[in-house]
Amino acid sequence: MPTNLGPLLFVMFVSMLKDFFEDRKRRASDDEENCNPTKILCEIDGQLYFKEARWKEVKIGDIVRVEQDEFFPSDLICIKTASEKHIAYVETKNLDGETNLKHKLAVKELAQGFSDEESCLRDLHASVTCEAPNVQIYKFDGVLNVGDSKISLSHENLLLRGSALKNTEWVWGVVTYVGHETRLMMNS
């Protein structure tokens, strides 16, 4: 019997044990994050409202409302903000380490086209065509199809999971990427 077999088996066992505990810790952390609250647009009996939901319940195509100092539950296309200038300020330190605020733009053609929040949400019939999920956090190309109109989308319209809304009361966003397809998850 080789003399190196005992130490080798011991090192492999310790390594497997360490990986097991790290995986359990990572899973607990993921479960905790996926249970964070957010607000998803719903319609019941003809009434539109934002209901409380968990991040893990968010699906592509949902309209989500995120309020000041909250984190984005997924990658979203910004369609409306509380700002009259249709600007949202976002902190991205969890993505790129930068603490300065970046400005993101709502799709102005949508934000200006509706007189009140109720009509904006009720009359919105649109689809989004965008690139496949990728790791580039400063690049995004997509098209918002509203009726016969095609509105170009860029990284300035994309709100990334892991970033937080700052100095803006609220934003509405259409969920574009969820789970492991978000830029945050693809870069980790």
Side-chain angles (χ1 to χ4, degrees):
M1 180 175 207
T3 58
N4 295 340
L5 186 60
L8 178 64
L9 289 175
F10 176 75
V11 168
M12 287 178 56
F13 176 75
V14 170
S15 177
M16 286 175 33
L17 201 58
K18 178 179 134 304
D19 289 345
F20 172 76
F21 285 111
E22 284 179 356
D23 287 346
R24 281 189 52 186
K25 186 176 178 183
R26 187 176 308 118
R27 181 179 173 104
S29 174
D30 288 347
D31 288 345
E32 181 181 330
E33 185 164 312
N34 287 330
C35 287
N36 284 335
T38 192
K39 295 174 185 73
I40 300 175
L41 181 69
C42 291
E43 181 177 6
I44 295 181
D45 298 328
Q47 295 291 97
L48 293 176
Y49 69 97
F50 285 95
K51 78 168 189 168
E52 184 110 349
R54 301 283 171 226
W55 284 18
K56 63 184 173 185
E57 298 168 352
V58 173
K59 300 181 303 288
I60 293 175
D62 284 344
I63 296 178
V64 176
R65 179 183 171 114
V66 177
E67 298 184 2
Q68 186 168 327
D69 297 324
E70 291 181 348
F71 287 93
F72 297 107
S74 60
D75 291 351
L76 311 169
I77 294 172
C78 185
I79 59 172
K80 191 163 176 64
T81 73
S83 163
E84 291 179 11
K85 295 180 180 179
H86 313 295
I87 296 175
Y89 294 96
V90 175
E91 182 180 70
T92 61
K93 69 180 175 184
N94 291 347
L95 297 172
D96 57 14
E98 295 182 20
T99 56
N100 58 324
L101 298 180
K102 295 176 177 59
H103 75 278
K104 298 292 183 168
L105 303 174
V107 179
K108 289 182 183 175
E109 294 84 351
L110 285 181
Q112 294 171 341
F114 298 103
S115 58
D116 63 56
E117 294 178 5
E118 180 79 15
S119 69
C120 174
L121 296 173
R122 186 170 302 288
D123 298 337
L124 181 61
H125 300 285
S127 65
V128 175
T129 305
C130 59
E131 61 195 15
N134 62 62
V135 298
Q136 299 177 355
I137 63 174
Y138 297 115
K139 183 181 177 298
F140 176 76
D141 293 313
V143 175
L144 180 65
N145 304 297
V146 183
D148 294 332
S149 300
K150 294 187 182 301
I151 303 166
S152 181
L153 301 171
S154 72
H155 73 281
E156 289 187 330
N157 306 113
L158 189 64
L159 306 167
L160 299 175
R161 178 180 178 170
S163 54
L165 184 64
K166 299 289 184 182
N167 298 344
T168 307
E169 188 179 343
W170 53 262
V171 297
W172 295 343
V174 176
V175 176
T176 308
Y177 303 110
V178 295
H180 292 286
E181 293 181 347
T182 61
R183 308 282 165 111
L184 173 71
M185 297 298 283
M186 294 186 85
N187 278 293
S188 60

